[in-house]
Amino acid sequence: VPNANYWIKANQNPNIKSLTFDLFSSSTAEQAALQANQIDVGLWAFTPTQVNALSQDSSLTLVKGEISRFISLLLNNNTASSPLNNELVRQAIAWSLNDSQIMSTVYGSTGTLSQTLMPPGYQYVTNAWSTAYPHQDIAKVKQLLTEAGYPNGFSTTLWYSPTQYGESETPFVTLVQQELAQVGITLTLNPVQI
């Protein structure tokens, strides 16, 4: 039902009498519903491959815009257990990741790399991360791991949700796993449903 008291009068559209929001179990299901004309709009959940495929469908109109969505690797350094409580290990992990490669592989042209939890262009966003870790540096990683007492690397587990934030989570953590493996860090992936 239209809201006659909506605060932005210019955004009121008298042609829209009602809205129905359907939730889908996957972006594949949402894509199928969109292409079968079962829904009028599909939002947010599509992978770059799906965006490319949908943009080729002449019956659909692709409207690109920015949303604030981030994917991050959070390390629990507030623990007494090794090795993540060691700052040198955390620095080694940061140096081992090729964030530009991860972004382009997982999101293609549909994502923009940000140095903070806020999207690029927001006021007060700095490039502190890219200044501290400007590129992947395997020699630096090996040096830091040796200084930290892990010259042969170590094993740890990464818990992640394969569906909570879209279907790009698994490709993301798989790339992180591969990049850490290059420096001797064995990452066991533990998917959990949230």
Side-chain angles (χ1 to χ4, degrees):
V1 177
N3 180 357
N5 299 316
Y6 186 70
W7 66 285
I8 303 177
K9 300 293 183 196
N11 287 351
Q12 291 181 344
N13 186 333
N15 298 317
I16 298 175
K17 303 297 181 202
S18 68
L19 289 173
T20 302
F21 291 90
D22 292 327
L23 302 177
F24 294 90
S25 60
S26 70
S27 62
T28 303
E30 185 176 2
Q31 179 182 7
L34 185 63
Q35 290 180 303
N37 292 322
Q38 296 169 344
I39 60 174
D40 296 317
V41 177
L43 297 174
W44 300 311
F46 298 119
T47 66
T49 302
Q50 290 172 308
V51 169
N52 290 334
L54 289 168
S55 69
Q56 302 301 312
D57 188 330
S58 62
S59 69
L60 301 173
T61 301
L62 177 65
V63 178
K64 289 186 176 183
E66 291 185 9
I67 62 170
S68 177
R69 177 161 175 241
F70 68 91
I71 187 166
S72 60
L73 181 64
L74 302 175
L75 305 176
N76 182 3
N77 62 332
N78 293 321
T79 178
S81 63
S82 297
L84 297 179
N85 64 344
N86 187 317
E87 183 177 2
L88 295 174
V89 168
R90 296 191 307 273
Q91 289 174 350
I93 289 172
W95 280 106
S96 69
L97 300 177
N98 184 338
D99 50 8
S100 297
Q101 178 65 36
I102 291 171
M103 178 60 74
S104 66
T105 302
V106 176
Y107 291 103
S109 63
T110 65
T112 303
L113 185 61
S114 179
Q115 304 303 320
T116 70
L117 295 179
M118 302 303 290
Y122 272 45
Q123 189 176 13
Y124 309 116
V125 170
T126 69
N127 290 327
W129 179 265
S130 63
T131 301
Y133 306 99
H135 54 81
Q136 185 181 46
D137 188 336
I138 302 302
K140 179 80 170 171
V141 173
K142 300 266 187 193
Q143 172 197 340
L144 289 166
L145 287 175
T146 300
E147 287 178 36
Y150 298 95
N152 299 317
F154 59 90
S155 296
T156 191
T157 301
L158 175 65
W159 298 61
Y160 73 100
S161 171
T163 57
Q164 177 70 19
Y165 302 105
E167 295 175 20
S168 60
E169 300 302 304
T170 300
F172 168 72
V173 297
T174 301
L175 276 173
V176 169
Q177 181 185 47
Q178 291 168 358
E179 291 190 356
L180 292 178
Q182 294 176 34
V183 296
I185 300 173
T186 302
L187 190 62
T188 301
L189 301 179
N190 187 11
V192 292
Q193 294 299 327
I194 298 176

